[in-house]
Amino acid sequence: MADYDVIVAGGGLAGTVTAQAVAHCSNQNTKILVVDRNAKSLPGRKSLAGWVCGDACSKEAVDFMTSRIKVKWGRPEIEHDVKGVMAFSPDRETSIPFDGDGYMLNRQKLPEIQNKRCEEMGVEFDYEINLTGLIYEGHQAVGVQGIDNKNKQPFKKTARIVIDATGVTSMLRNTLKNSTKIERRIDRRDLESTGRYIMYFDSAKNDPAEFDPDYCIIHLDQDIAPGGYGWVFPKAGNKVNIGLGVEKSLLERRNQRLGKKDNVESLMREYLQRNTVIKNTRLSEDPEDIGNNTGIFQVSVRRQNDCMVSGGYVLVGDSAWMPKPIDAGGIGPALIAGTILGNNVAQALEANDVSEAGLWQYNLDFIEEYGYKTAGLELFRRLVQQMTNDQISYGMKHFLGNMDVEAISKGEHPDFSGLGKLGMIIRGAMNKTVADGLRYTSRENRWLVDHYNKYPGDPSGFDEWSKTLHRRMDGAFEKVDAFGR
Ligand SMILES: Cc1cc2nc3c(=O)[nH]c(=O)nc-3n(C[C@H](O)[C@H](O)[C@H](O)COP(=O)(O)OP(=O)(O)OC[C@H]3O[C@@H](n4cnc5c(N)ncnc54)[C@H](O)[C@@H]3O)c2cc1C
């Protein structure tokens, strides 16, 4: 008999939400263990750099979790309320709102509260365990192994299902042996290197394009944050989470173009200095920000793993590459996926079928709720990354109709229907290229959403589905890259 019904590997945001969802959805005798490499006093810390995140999350995703698994978030894990995210064009002449009402979280306080709540639901924890891989019996994953840093002894525990929530660098996924369907590695270009400060400041003036206590601000700019964006997210009237993300190969290209040698750290410093509102800055020394007021980490910006289950094994959160491809928001999808997965795991345990086929429904449920749109957004992201500042500014000003803004605000791919309108004059060959690119990605997006709606109902249809997807995506990436040449 297994030591546990469920082992959640990684007690970060996705892991602890999923543990609560499993406890909520399954019967009281279900034994759940959460294992993390952090000490008990540092729950949910992503890496030595801290709980590095922009800390923003939509109310809609929190409501999704609360209504289904009855977990409520309040103060102090929510630090500040916002009315949405505002994305500014490089020339700052156009801004588009998205995501709607949301919260700024305290990522250090949140896991403390999550863990307490988990424990009240009967979930057990083991800390200071560095997991290195899964234990297998034939084709089935039956537990986890690693080193217990408390006593330097090997650690082995068995479970009917292992949920991998160990984040983007997941060792369990990288070394996975029981699936040909789950992808193990990521393309370097699908990874953003990101960093941020949490600080107090004095306001030098009022300018809602630089700091707005009610809105999370995003600055698109290929010189300031090549292949990514800069952000200014309010934590109070005089407190901010400010940072940026870049794609490394595009940073190199930008450095060559400008004759510079910048890295993420120097770009962060410059971005802070050029802000005309945020002055006299001090890194936050609030007790809940100590050890977390500056740091750099990675985030993926692609579609979720094409398959997220194998025998006895499931992926959730950053280990499954869930952050949204256009803005790297990973908290929302982690809440949605964790909530859904609680139900899938409970059903598989009850049916006593924890095989790949028994867990397959999770792939379908996540795609239906969220995952149907991510491949299209991945392609859209690749196109925007190829554009110059002038092209982005022109495109945002002239090509985004009301319907497109609405689609973006719901996290959907805009369809740029206005681009086909008679009488639309597009000035300049470079801007015609942008229009062609946008028309192309919206057409491809329709195909991709349709393809995801045909995700196979069981593992037998996966290879064909996946081959078709990769053929289409590879062709589309080539085409989109050509727009930037
Ligand atoms: C700079 C930056 C800014 C971001 N901004 C935002 C934002 O504003 N909004 C948003 O929605 N998303 C944002 N994201 C993404 C968001 O932070 C992640 O999507 C989210 O934290 C994912 O949670 P997770 O639980 O899947 O992974 P993680 O938070 O990485 O948690 C993984 C857990 O697993 C543990 N672990 C890892 N490896 C092992 C191992 N081998 N053995 C044992 N335990 C292990 C870790 O200790 C950790 O507790 C940002 C990311 C970055 C890097």
Side-chain angles (χ1 to χ4, degrees):
M1 201 172 120
D3 300 323
Y4 288 88
D5 293 301
V6 177
I7 289 180
V8 179
L13 189 110
T16 48
V17 167
T18 309
Q20 290 169 78
V22 174
H24 177 84
C25 298
S26 52
N27 73 48
Q28 278 190 337
N29 301 325
T30 304
K31 278 188 79 184
I32 307 164
L33 173 70
V34 177
V35 182
D36 201 284
R37 67 183 169 198
N38 288 320
K40 187 171 186 199
S41 57
L42 301 168
R45 190 178 61 161
K46 288 184 180 186
S47 72
L48 292 177
W51 293 252
V52 184
C53 184
D55 305 336
C57 166
S58 78
K59 177 175 181 297
E60 194 183 359
V62 177
D63 288 350
F64 181 93
M65 168 185 73
T66 306
S67 66
R68 284 165 179 81
I69 61 168
K70 313 297 166 213
V71 169
K72 266 197 184 146
W73 286 1
R75 301 292 195 251
E77 65 267 39
I78 294 176
E79 220 178 326
H80 186 69
D81 297 322
V82 289
K83 294 178 180 154
V85 183
M86 198 63 86
F88 284 85
S89 58
D91 62 7
R92 307 275 164 104
E93 284 186 17
T94 314
S95 57
I96 51 169
F98 62 98
D99 266 3
D101 288 350
Y103 305 121
M104 287 298 292
L105 304 172
N106 187 295
R107 289 294 306 264
Q108 214 165 334
K109 260 310 211 229
L110 178 67
E112 279 175 29
I113 293 164
Q114 295 259 89
N115 288 13
K116 217 182 282 163
R117 220 184 274 122
C118 281
E119 280 172 346
E120 282 162 13
M121 295 172 99
V123 175
E124 295 174 36
F125 282 81
D126 204 344
Y127 297 97
E128 297 179 59
I129 311 290
N130 192 15
L131 296 171
T132 50
L134 295 169
I135 306 169
Y136 302 91
E137 248 174 48
H139 222 60
Q140 192 73 11
V142 294
V144 289
Q145 56 185 324
I147 298 286
D148 186 337
N149 282 327
K150 295 190 287 299
N151 53 24
K152 305 287 173 222
Q153 293 298 307
F155 174 92
K156 273 189 185 186
K157 287 275 184 254
T158 57
R160 294 163 72 194
I161 300 176
V162 175
I163 296 174
D164 181 357
T166 56
V168 63
T169 55
S170 172
M171 282 293 288
L172 310 189
R173 181 202 63 226
N174 289 350
T175 60
L176 189 70
K177 293 195 179 80
N178 72 340
S179 173
T180 53
K181 302 182 181 69
I182 294 175
E183 300 161 280
R184 288 165 187 70
R185 304 267 173 191
I186 199 162
D187 185 327
R188 287 282 318 148
R189 290 172 57 186
D190 291 333
L191 215 48
E192 292 271 316
S193 192
T194 53
R196 59 96 184 91
Y197 308 107
I198 297 178
M199 30 181 46
Y200 283 93
F201 65 95
D202 297 330
S203 263
K205 62 175 192 171
N206 201 359
D207 180 353
E210 298 280 354
F211 177 83
D212 188 330
D214 291 329
Y215 279 91
C216 288
I217 292 173
I218 280 180
H219 291 130
L220 293 166
D221 193 308
Q222 302 285 38
D223 295 342
I224 292 173
Y229 62 82
W231 72 82
V232 184
F233 291 177
K235 295 210 118 184
N238 63 343
K239 188 179 178 188
V240 71
N241 178 318
I242 180 167
L244 51 78
V246 304
E247 195 273 295
K248 284 268 176 71
S249 70
L250 294 169
L251 170 59
E252 278 164 28
R253 222 199 273 176
R254 170 263 189 202
N255 278 347
Q256 268 177 7
R257 176 165 52 81
L258 301 178
K260 295 200 169 181
K261 288 190 175 151
D262 280 314
N263 54 31
V264 177
E265 233 172 332
S266 64
L267 288 173
M268 277 166 64
R269 274 197 306 273
E270 263 179 45
Y271 182 54
L272 182 61
Q273 278 156 12
R274 65 189 300 149
N275 192 295
T276 54
V277 173
I278 295 172
K279 293 295 169 197
N280 189 23
T281 52
R282 291 90 65 193
L283 286 174
S284 170
E285 289 183 4
D286 291 346
E288 60 272 20
D289 294 328
I290 297 282
N292 191 40
N293 52 22
T294 173
I296 294 177
F297 199 56
Q298 298 173 328
V299 60
S300 66
V301 282
R302 52 157 276 169
R303 65 193 186 278
Q304 70 277 0
N305 205 314
D306 293 346
C307 173
M308 302 195 294
V309 306
S310 67
Y313 175 75
V314 204
L315 290 149
V316 68
D318 281 19
S319 67
W321 308 316
M322 284 183 175
K324 196 168 1 132
I326 44 168
D327 61 13
I331 299 172
L335 296 185
I336 291 169
T339 301
I340 289 173
L341 182 53
N343 181 44
N344 298 130
V345 164
Q347 296 211 348
L349 290 175
E350 196 167 317
N352 205 15
D353 182 358
V354 294
S355 65
E356 182 187 62
L359 294 166
W360 194 258
Q361 188 62 34
Y362 170 52
N363 281 323
L364 292 156
D365 289 350
F366 182 72
I367 285 170
E368 186 181 350
E369 194 58 51
Y370 190 90
Y372 65 92
K373 61 190 172 190
T374 53
L377 293 175
E378 180 182 344
L379 187 59
F380 184 56
R381 181 210 98 221
R382 289 241 187 167
L383 176 73
V384 176
Q385 283 180 321
Q386 296 298 328
M387 292 183 188
T388 62
N389 277 347
D390 287 346
Q391 287 177 319
I392 298 173
S393 293
Y394 190 93
M396 283 177 73
K397 187 180 267 176
H398 297 286
F399 299 155
L400 279 174
N402 290 343
M403 298 286 281
D404 302 323
V405 172
E406 205 173 299
I408 290 174
S409 80
K410 286 197 232 138
E412 310 270 345
H413 193 302
D415 82 355
F416 298 105
S417 47
L419 272 175
K421 282 210 181 105
L422 271 174
M424 171 163 236
I425 300 160
I426 302 171
R427 291 181 210 287
M430 289 300 280
N431 296 326
K432 288 200 177 78
T433 309
V434 175
D436 288 345
L438 295 175
R439 270 193 218 103
Y440 174 72
T441 56
S442 49
R443 209 171 47 235
E444 285 302 288
N445 176 60
R446 283 193 286 277
W447 185 93
L448 287 164
V449 170
D450 187 50
H451 191 60
Y452 270 83
N453 285 333
K454 292 184 210 143
Y455 194 86
D458 63 64
S460 68
F462 178 82
D463 287 347
E464 197 49 46
W465 180 89
S466 156
K467 223 186 286 162
T468 310
L469 174 71
H470 280 253
R471 215 181 298 129
R472 190 83 178 200
M473 291 293 277
D474 288 347
F477 289 151
E478 254 179 54
K479 192 123 187 189
V480 161
D481 282 350
F483 284 112
R485 282 188 208 123

